[in-house]
Amino acid sequence: MLAITRHQLILELLQENGAVQVSELSDRFEVTPKTIREDLEKLEEKGLLTRIHGGAVSRSDASDPMLPLQIPNTKHSLEKEAIAAQALRYIRQDDVIALDAGSTTLEIAKKLPDMPLTVLTNDLLIMRELMGKEQIRLVVPGGYRHRNVLVGNDALEWLARLNVQKLFLSATGVHDKFGLSVFTGELLDLKRAYLSGAKEVYGVADHSKFDRAALQTFAALEDLDLLITDDGLPEEVRRRYEEGGRVNIELGTTKPI
């Protein structure tokens, strides 16, 4: 079994049970306890769990599960609305934009005015949201349905051929060492295909995603022209991510104007 597969199964067990034990994981995956301890160490480094004697537990400060159980994810709705409002400042009439799959990009779609605009997306929920806006030209790929996303080689080839002016890119985790990350390979390939053809890249992620890393990195902080989050991000964290010009961060406000 590949290490990345084992890591995902460990996280699924942790989400189901709240705790895992080295001895049980060793028996389950038929690997040595030393291998499991190394697995847990790597997952803790990514902010995905807390190690304890003989095993690991879920992070006590993790308000949002890293393996989503619901579609769309309705947690941090105020923060996502604030991020979407900030993102709209960068969208102009007649732009060609791409909305990556995700609950924050879905919020952008909800807030988009019905104006002349071309929107590319592989997210079925975003498609449904935009179908009623007659002035928006909606462009979608082929592929097969994986949860709420169209994936497959057809979608990847389609995305690679397109010239996108502005890409709004979501992430499961945002980390100053591991960059932007997701759990599944299908989403990894799609996000990289989006990145390959985009002239401007805007990352969108609420503050709970920071200092956390999923299993697979698809972009470095330096790949972003701008990272938009909400005003719940501590100033110390913002300074750390912006240090050395790695990424520029803007905050959407959750406070009434």
Side-chain angles (χ1 to χ4, degrees):
M1 180 184 292
L2 294 174
I4 193 166
T5 303
R6 197 167 58 245
H7 291 175
Q8 182 159 351
L9 292 173
I10 289 171
L11 291 172
E12 290 174 355
L13 289 169
L14 190 61
Q15 185 161 301
E16 290 174 7
N17 304 316
V20 292
Q21 293 185 349
V22 170
S23 58
E24 292 179 356
L25 294 174
S26 176
D27 291 341
R28 186 185 188 101
F29 299 131
E30 299 181 343
V31 296
T32 65
K34 179 177 182 292
T35 297
I36 295 298
R37 285 192 289 270
E38 290 172 349
D39 289 340
L40 297 181
E41 183 178 356
K42 291 175 182 176
L43 292 172
E44 184 179 52
E45 184 183 7
K46 291 185 175 184
L48 299 177
L49 51 76
T50 299
R51 285 185 297 158
I52 59 172
H53 181 69
V57 296
S58 300
R59 271 180 43 168
S60 60
D61 61 340
S63 59
D64 205 8
M66 293 296 281
L67 294 171
L69 295 176
Q70 47 185 340
I71 300 175
N73 183 352
T74 57
K75 293 195 173 186
H76 304 289
S77 58
L78 285 178
E79 289 86 347
K80 290 168 183 175
E81 288 177 14
I83 294 167
Q86 188 71 14
L88 256 61
R89 298 176 57 191
Y90 295 95
I91 299 175
R92 302 285 184 269
Q93 182 172 309
D94 297 320
D95 274 349
V96 178
I97 72 170
L99 295 178
D100 179 30
S103 53
T104 305
T105 46
L106 175 59
E107 194 60 41
I108 294 174
K110 291 178 180 179
K111 289 186 178 297
L112 273 177
D114 187 6
M115 66 180 186
L117 193 69
T118 299
V119 179
L120 293 70
T121 188
N122 61 305
D123 188 313
L124 295 171
L125 299 177
I126 292 176
M127 294 175 201
R128 184 176 66 183
E129 185 66 35
L130 295 179
M131 284 176 63
K133 300 181 180 182
E134 295 184 355
Q135 294 191 72
I136 292 180
R137 182 188 183 200
L138 181 60
V139 184
V140 301
Y144 62 91
R145 179 183 177 187
H146 175 72
R147 294 170 70 91
N148 64 305
V149 181
L150 294 176
V151 299
N153 290 335
D154 289 344
L156 296 177
E157 293 170 4
W158 174 80
L159 288 171
R161 292 196 303 267
L162 298 175
N163 294 315
V164 176
Q165 293 173 338
K166 299 167 184 177
L167 166 64
F168 294 88
L169 191 64
S170 65
T172 303
V174 180
H175 198 283
D176 55 354
K177 177 180 177 181
F178 299 106
L180 278 65
S181 56
V182 290
F183 274 106
T184 64
E186 293 94 343
L187 296 181
L188 181 85
D189 292 338
L190 277 168
K191 289 174 186 291
R192 286 178 173 169
Y194 271 125
L195 280 163
S196 68
K199 295 180 176 64
E200 299 175 18
V201 181
Y202 299 85
V204 291
D206 69 74
H207 72 274
S208 72
K209 303 290 182 67
F210 281 70
D211 288 344
R212 305 179 76 182
L215 298 180
Q216 302 187 65
T217 295
F218 63 85
L221 294 175
E222 291 85 354
D223 293 329
L224 305 179
D225 293 285
L226 184 66
L227 178 53
I228 304 174
T229 187
D230 61 89
D231 53 10
L233 186 72
E235 182 59 29
E236 175 275 325
V237 176
R238 179 179 181 176
R239 287 197 302 267
R240 172 156 48 88
Y241 278 75
E242 290 186 326
E243 188 175 22
R246 296 185 67 193
V247 66
N248 293 319
I249 296 177
E250 283 190 5
L251 309 181
T253 180
T254 58
K255 303 175 181 63
I257 299 176

